[in-house]
Amino acid sequence: MNENATPARRPVALNRARALPPWSLIAAGVLVGGLLGGGYGLARTPTYTATSYVVAVPTDRSEPASALGFAQAYGRVATQLAVLGDAQVWAGVPVRTLQQSVHAETSPDAPMVAVTATAARPDLAADMANAVSRALTRHAGDVQNATHVELQQFARATKPTAPSSASAEVTGLVGASAGGLLGGLLLLVRPRRARPEPGLAASVPGPAVAAEAHGQL
């Protein structure tokens, strides 16, 4: 008993994917990526950044070059526990928050230390930056007789008027770009439409075979 083999049906989703125009995957990626990126920008908490500056000034018993060297050293100790322990009192936040939100930078050309703080509130960012600068200046004053370098406040941190984090428009554009790129990659690997197989050509007997068949009749 011969059983007729039934050809397997192709998945409906595969057929639909092949039927879509090539640009639809890129358009869908841009749309979905833009919506996700914009939603992330609206949902997350904005971040504010404030920066205060202190400058190292040499005394009469020191040289300007030594002030530059001590400014580099003070930039390294600005986020140490000894300084942040005093800064937490003026900032009103725990030391752990200062360790995570404050960093210091120095310049190789100027004896200056920039103390930058980030927070979810603009007033808190300014308070933390000013508190660390004040604590650093105080510690520098305790050892001024040995270093012969005085650390003075150059500019206080002011309350920022706009968040430093990316806006929802920017995150939406980034998401749309990433979605378009992903759609282009999917377009490269998506299944192609199957080409119809050419039919078998009918065999025609050659002249010699035709002559032999005519002689036998």
Side-chain angles (χ1 to χ4, degrees), residues 109-138:
D109 303 323
M112 187 174 294
V113 182
V115 180
T116 303
T118 58
R121 301 198 327 263
D123 57 337
L124 181 59
D127 291 343
M128 288 192 299
N130 289 326
V132 174
S133 297
R134 180 179 177 183
L136 183 62
T137 303
R138 179 179 177 181

Side-chain angles (χ1 to χ4, degrees), residues 60-108:
D60 297 337
R61 302 174 57 183
S62 179
E63 299 179 357
S66 61
L68 181 61
F70 277 105
Q72 302 290 331
Y74 287 138
R76 297 187 183 94
V77 303
T79 55
Q80 299 299 317
L81 186 60
V83 177
L84 298 183
D86 293 340
Q88 69 172 342
V89 179
W90 299 311
V93 295
V95 174
R96 184 177 183 85
T97 302
L98 294 176
Q99 290 175 336
Q100 296 175 349
S101 305
V102 178
H103 67 276
E105 296 179 353
T106 57
S107 172

Side-chain angles (χ1 to χ4, degrees), residues 35-60:
L35 291 176
L36 292 177
Y40 171 76
L42 292 174
R44 73 171 183 174
T45 304
T47 302
Y48 295 88
T49 302
T51 303
S52 63
Y53 299 90
V54 293
V55 60
V57 180
T59 61
D60 297 337

Side-chain angles (χ1 to χ4, degrees), residues 22 25-26 180-192:
L25 290 176
I26 300 179
L181 178 60
L182 181 59
L185 294 177
L186 292 177
L187 181 62
L188 295 177
V189 300
R190 78 166 190 163
R192 305 288 182 178

